[in-house]
Amino acid sequence: MIEGVDNTVLYGVAGAGLFVLIVAVTAISMVMNRQRAVSDERQVYKLRRKRAARYEDAKKDYEKYRKKIESGNTVLIDLIHDLGDDFVGRDSAQQQIAFDEAFEAVASIRQANPRARIVIVLHTLGGYARPAHMIALAIRHHLSKGKGHYNPKREPRVVAYVPYVAMSGGTMIALAADKIVMDPTASLGPIDTIYGGFPTEAYKELIAQKGPLATQDVLVMLAHEAEKYDRYAGKVAREIVNDVHKAEGRDEHHIADTLSAGTLSHSQAITPKDAKEMGMNVSTKIPDLIYGLVDARIRMIHTRLEFEARRMEGEGGPEEGKGDDAEQAIERAIRQSLRGNVRL
């Protein structure tokens, strides 16, 4: 009690102050909730706009992200493939790692100065072994230029980003890098040999069960050839895996031998957790620029045929095309692309 002041007055003042505080907190909370709601709506709106973006807009976004990533002494190698089921050469995108793409990637890495940072963005299911091997070797050679002058864990000079998937040959390339950065939902895969559509282990099992005399000659010959490729895969795997990818207490070739042995299904997904347990230097913090680059490129691939169809219609197109709907126009663009008249 304060002398000379009625307690009733004190209680009233305290109550009024508490009421004002509650109102203020409520008002601030409502404003913050509204700001969050507006921010969320804007993000969803931007996402919808990106999904509905036309080819021209997607291409601008792709070029913008490339420019930002390649700032300074950085070289970008993006192996972003068309993973759709109905491949028709959309936007000249490869479906797998091929020689022409490998030649371009190797040349870019070779021409980089010894201190250059190499950023590799992978979105692929793999492809031919030799092109992937070439790119991995180019990465290893680039890293050898500055060996002993940097710490690959603290300051990685070659970083491979996997926002979605990098299987088979894509995994080979990633393993050559100092660091692999994967989305939490992304996956790598085994790098064992697939020959004639089947893994080497399948041929071995078949002949072991039936015997060579009871097995078709062509399968015996395929098994013989597959065995050679299997030895090659094991040798390559040991050759390209970066020394930074190593699990304590395990053989130095544990990762290479595990992934190339053929004991895993060729389509088996290796999650970031699996990769870390194997000993790979992996993190799951992919920059927004990388996501933007890949998503823009995927959007380009998906919308190129529509773009070509609209362009043809705008130019008048062939007489039989007049009055066609959009689907017929796209089919016409596909037919012409296959004849070599339109570059898709």
Side-chain angles (χ1 to χ4, degrees):
M1 176 178 178
I2 300 176
E3 190 174 344
V5 179
D6 190 343
N7 284 343
T8 305
V9 175
L10 288 175
Y11 293 147
V13 171
L18 181 61
F19 176 75
V20 171
L21 180 62
I22 292 173
V23 170
V25 170
T26 302
I28 292 171
S29 178
M30 289 176 64
V31 170
M32 291 181 66
N33 286 337
R34 178 56 186 162
Q35 288 177 340
R36 278 195 293 267
V38 170
S39 175
D40 291 344
E41 288 174 5
R42 285 175 180 168
Q43 285 184 337
V44 171
Y45 176 71
K46 286 181 181 178
L47 177 61
R48 288 172 181 159
R49 282 195 63 184
K50 282 185 177 180
R51 286 178 176 171
R54 297 188 307 168
Y55 174 83
E56 301 94 318
D57 298 326
K59 185 177 181 181
K60 287 178 183 176
D61 284 343
Y62 172 75
E63 291 171 348
K64 176 184 70 176
Y65 289 124
R66 274 200 70 98
K67 187 175 181 180
K68 288 184 177 180
I69 294 170
E70 285 199 303
S71 62
N73 191 22
T74 300
V75 175
L76 171 62
I77 307 294
D78 61 327
L79 305 176
I80 303 172
H81 292 158
D82 183 351
L83 305 186
D85 294 329
D86 301 319
F87 178 67
V88 288
R90 300 181 295 183
D91 198 39
S92 301
Q94 302 276 6
Q95 267 200 312
Q96 59 186 359
I97 301 169
F99 279 102
D100 56 348
E101 194 173 34
F103 296 154
E104 185 177 345
V106 170
S108 296
I109 296 169
R110 183 180 64 242
Q111 293 165 15
N113 65 70
R115 295 164 300 285
R117 182 170 181 263
I118 309 291
V119 171
I120 301 173
V121 181
L122 298 164
H123 180 68
T124 180
L125 296 180
Y128 295 115
R130 182 56 187 157
H133 185 199
M134 289 174 62
I135 297 172
L137 285 177
I139 293 169
R140 296 286 284 163
H141 181 67
H142 176 74
L143 291 174
S144 70
K145 295 176 185 177
K147 204 158 188 172
H149 300 291
Y150 80 107
N151 185 310
K153 285 201 170 183
R154 287 202 306 266
E155 302 173 37
R157 288 175 55 217
V158 178
V159 181
Y161 291 97
V162 185
Y164 296 106
V165 61
M167 302 293 281
S168 191
T171 301
M172 285 177 63
I173 295 168
L175 286 169
D178 288 324
K179 187 175 184 179
I180 304 171
V181 187
M182 303 171 64
D183 182 86
T185 65
S187 59
L188 303 174
I191 54 178
D192 56 318
T193 301
I194 298 296
Y195 189 76
F198 299 99
T200 304
E201 288 299 310
Y203 294 109
K204 291 179 181 178
E205 289 291 330
L206 178 66
I207 294 176
Q209 290 179 21
K210 298 182 68 175
L213 295 179
T215 305
Q216 291 181 2
D217 291 348
V218 66
L219 292 178
V220 175
M221 289 187 289
L222 285 174
H224 179 68
E225 202 63 23
E227 180 68 28
K228 297 177 185 176
Y229 276 95
D230 208 28
R231 290 195 297 270
Y232 169 72
K235 175 180 176 294
V236 166
R238 290 189 172 201
E239 187 178 27
I240 57 93
V241 174
N242 193 307
D243 295 337
V244 77
H245 305 301
K246 189 180 297 183
E248 291 185 16
R250 289 178 173 172
D251 180 82
E252 62 174 320
H253 299 303
H254 169 71
I255 294 175
D257 293 346
T258 300
L259 295 181
S260 65
T263 54
L264 302 174
S265 168
H266 192 68
S267 59
Q268 183 170 329
I270 297 172
T271 66
K273 181 182 177 183
D274 297 332
K276 286 181 181 177
E277 289 176 353
M278 282 188 190
M280 298 183 204
N281 184 26
V282 172
S283 79
T284 54
K285 295 180 180 179
I286 293 184
D288 290 338
L289 284 177
I290 301 297
Y291 285 121
L293 179 84
V294 175
D295 292 342
R297 182 67 180 120
I298 291 172
R299 190 64 195 167
M300 286 172 64
I301 293 168
H302 289 173
T303 57
R304 181 58 185 257
L305 288 179
E306 298 170 14
F307 168 75
E308 291 293 344
R310 287 199 314 272
R311 185 180 65 79
M312 288 175 62
E313 288 183 332
E315 294 174 355
E319 282 297 319
E320 71 269 16
K322 290 185 178 180
D324 287 354
D325 59 22
E327 185 175 341
Q328 290 172 313
I330 291 172
E331 289 179 0
R332 189 167 65 252
I334 294 172
R335 287 196 302 272
Q336 290 207 13
S337 73
L338 295 177
R339 290 200 299 266
N341 296 329
V342 179
R343 184 176 179 273
L344 297 180

